[in-house]
Amino acid sequence: MAGVHDLERLRSLLGGDDLRWLRQRLRGRFERGDLATGTVNHGSPSPEERAAVDLLFGRRPTSGSSLRIDIAALEQRLRDARLCDTLRDALEALDGPIRDRRAERENLERAWARVEGRLDEACVARPWLTPWWEQVRAEGLLRRLSGGDPAEAQRLADRLVALLHRLPAQGVALPELAAQVTGDAHALDRGAPLGTLAARAAAVLGGAGGLASADDWREAWAGAGVICDEVSAPVLTLNLGALEPRGTGLTDGVLALYRAQGELCALTLRQLVDHPPDLSHLAGRDVFVCENPTVAVAATRRLGAASAPLVCTAGQLRASTRFLLRRIADAGGRLRVRADFDATGLRIVKTVLEHPGAVPWRMGIADYLSCAGAAQASTALPTTPWDSELAEAMAARRTAVHEESLLEQLLSDLVVGRGTA
């Protein structure tokens, strides 16, 4: 063994269990790249450990509450005894090769730099990715999702870049896209490492908000032209199209047909993404948003083609509804939103009001107090920034007021196309 001249004597002198602590301390210094100088201290040695050190240095038994070992003197002792050339040679012969942790860290950082450089290059070709990548890097998300392994991170980055080359897509299903890019139809599932990174990028591309809920996640992908939930939970609309549509796509034609008849039209997320309607005719116009289908049906039966444009959420906001509302707002339509006076309804209104130009529609404290309500269990209510007194009044009264209680006022607003804030 290179550098070691008498392994058996070395083992008997330095290789015992009573000197394991000393070997570990010395190995730690070499692993950190420190010079083999100075001292090693042991604050509370056992009698056996002290005796082993005394034997190592060939001296009479010592006493005391601590031990101090001069590293250079130890190395010279081993050389003089012709056991080894260096202290490092002795430690490696007894306990195996010593790692160069400094070199490992440098190699690791070089590996991470290559991974990050791959995504830096992707951002040069697609500047819209820059905010996404800056956030991912700041959070250390890629490192966490890869388990701190740069090889796994490189694999994720390569797949991610290949995926980003495909965005925006043209109505492809998410499992299909995942299979095309990775060979695994579930690689982009919500919560999967690649799916987590890619969904964030899709949200930036499509201008979506956060990814807190499953519906947020579906909307983010839909904004990038990828469908997660193709036909379930369609969004219900009334008179959203133009009698003479500016667009020539399938959805434009469908909306125009239903508009001419004043009939309700249900649109799936796939239809909205595959055949996006031209909604520019809604610029500067009020588009009313309600929660309950009862309101939409009543508007259809009693007003028909005379009703203002109306979108019905049919309960909690689904991906198709979120997608459509964002497109209406982007086209310059002014969303006027209302829902039931209960915790769910307030959350719906608060979410829709995040769209540019959106305003409440008969969702003030006066509207609430004007109607008899049904008793409900006490529950935490969201804040109501559009009317600071509303949530307080609802909490005190402990009654829910459903949209049907305001049906006549709502229909009157729809006739004239002008709601009351």
Side-chain angles (χ1 to χ4, degrees):
M1 186 174 295
V4 174
H5 310 301
D6 191 335
L7 182 58
E8 289 304 316
R9 285 179 59 211
L10 181 65
R11 282 174 175 162
S12 65
L13 193 62
L14 184 61
D17 288 342
D18 293 332
L19 290 177
R20 186 180 302 279
W21 68 271
L22 175 59
R23 299 197 306 275
Q24 290 176 343
R25 298 270 189 90
L26 292 169
R27 288 178 70 88
R29 292 201 178 196
F30 281 112
E31 288 177 349
R32 294 191 299 271
D34 296 340
L35 296 176
T37 58
T39 61
V40 175
N41 300 313
H42 191 345
S44 54
S46 68
E48 293 78 12
E49 290 171 339
R50 177 176 289 279
V53 171
D54 291 338
L55 179 63
L56 177 63
F57 281 93
R59 65 194 182 194
R60 293 181 177 181
T62 61
S63 61
S65 59
S66 64
L67 275 172
R68 175 174 294 182
I69 298 172
D70 185 285
I71 298 176
L74 172 60
E75 185 169 53
Q76 189 61 49
R77 171 74 174 166
L78 296 175
R79 281 203 201 98
D80 292 344
R82 298 185 179 181
L83 297 176
C84 60
D85 293 335
T86 68
L87 181 57
R88 184 185 184 107
D89 292 335
L91 295 172
E92 290 190 323
L94 293 171
D95 296 314
I98 292 175
R99 297 169 58 184
D100 187 340
R101 293 186 181 274
R102 178 178 296 173
E104 288 177 1
R105 287 194 301 271
E106 292 173 352
N107 290 335
L108 185 63
E109 288 309 311
R110 281 194 291 270
W112 279 112
R114 287 192 294 272
V115 174
E116 295 181 351
R118 181 85 167 99
L119 293 171
D120 287 336
E121 293 173 2
C123 290
V124 171
R126 293 169 179 76
W128 60 267
L129 279 173
T130 300
W132 161 81
W133 174 224
E134 288 177 348
Q135 186 68 27
V136 167
R137 178 153 46 190
E139 294 179 7
L141 184 60
L142 180 59
R143 297 196 181 205
R144 291 204 309 273
L145 291 175
S146 61
D149 180 1
E152 175 61 18
Q154 186 68 63
R155 188 178 75 91
L156 275 175
D158 289 341
R159 288 185 165 189
L160 192 58
V161 171
L163 172 70
L164 296 173
H165 278 297
R166 307 288 293 272
L167 299 180
Q170 298 297 322
V172 64
L174 186 70
E176 181 182 354
L177 178 63
Q180 291 172 355
V181 173
T182 71
D184 178 3
H186 295 287
L188 295 176
D189 285 358
R190 188 173 183 232
L194 182 62
T196 298
L197 292 165
R200 284 192 172 204
V204 172
L205 174 60
L211 297 170
S213 70
D215 283 324
D216 292 335
W217 178 76
R218 294 187 191 96
E219 183 186 6
W221 277 115
V226 180
I227 309 301
C228 303
D229 188 359
E230 302 188 58
V231 296
S232 65
V235 56
L236 198 60
T237 71
L238 175 64
N239 296 343
L240 198 63
L243 291 174
E244 296 182 4
R246 300 175 185 179
T248 59
L250 173 64
T251 307
D252 294 301
V254 169
L255 286 174
L257 178 63
Y258 279 78
R259 171 70 181 86
Q261 299 298 318
E263 281 292 340
L264 288 172
C265 179
L267 302 173
T268 66
L269 184 57
R270 166 163 286 283
Q271 184 176 354
L272 289 167
V273 173
D274 279 1
H275 309 283
D278 183 339
L279 301 174
S280 58
H281 63 281
L282 296 176
R285 295 184 60 192
D286 289 336
V287 178
F288 293 84
V289 182
C290 66
E291 177 185 356
N292 295 299
T294 300
V295 177
V297 171
T300 303
R301 288 178 174 172
R302 294 169 56 176
L303 304 178
S307 173
L310 178 67
V311 175
C312 179
T313 71
Q316 289 284 12
L317 296 171
R318 303 300 181 186
S320 56
T321 308
R322 290 168 176 258
F323 186 83
L324 177 60
L325 294 179
R326 186 148 51 88
R327 291 299 179 270
I328 293 172
D330 290 344
R334 183 171 59 222
L335 298 172
R336 304 188 71 92
V337 57
R338 70 149 296 103
D340 291 334
F341 285 105
D342 58 16
T344 299
L346 296 185
R347 280 192 291 269
I348 292 172
V349 172
K350 192 173 181 180
T351 300
V352 176
L353 288 179
E354 294 173 1
H355 293 82
V359 295
W361 171 32
R362 292 195 181 274
M363 283 298 296
I365 186 172
D367 302 298
Y368 173 69
L369 296 177
S370 69
C371 300
Q376 63 173 2
S378 178
T379 182
L381 295 169
T383 58
T384 54
W386 65 90
D387 189 327
S388 59
E389 298 178 348
L390 176 59
E392 183 178 347
M394 291 177 61
R397 194 178 180 192
R398 294 189 180 183
T399 57
V401 173
H402 299 130
E403 285 185 311
E404 291 83 352
S405 299
L406 290 163
L407 185 59
E408 294 304 319
Q409 296 96 314
L410 302 183
L411 294 177
S412 176
D413 293 340
L414 290 172
V415 170
V416 298
R418 182 176 64 252
T420 302

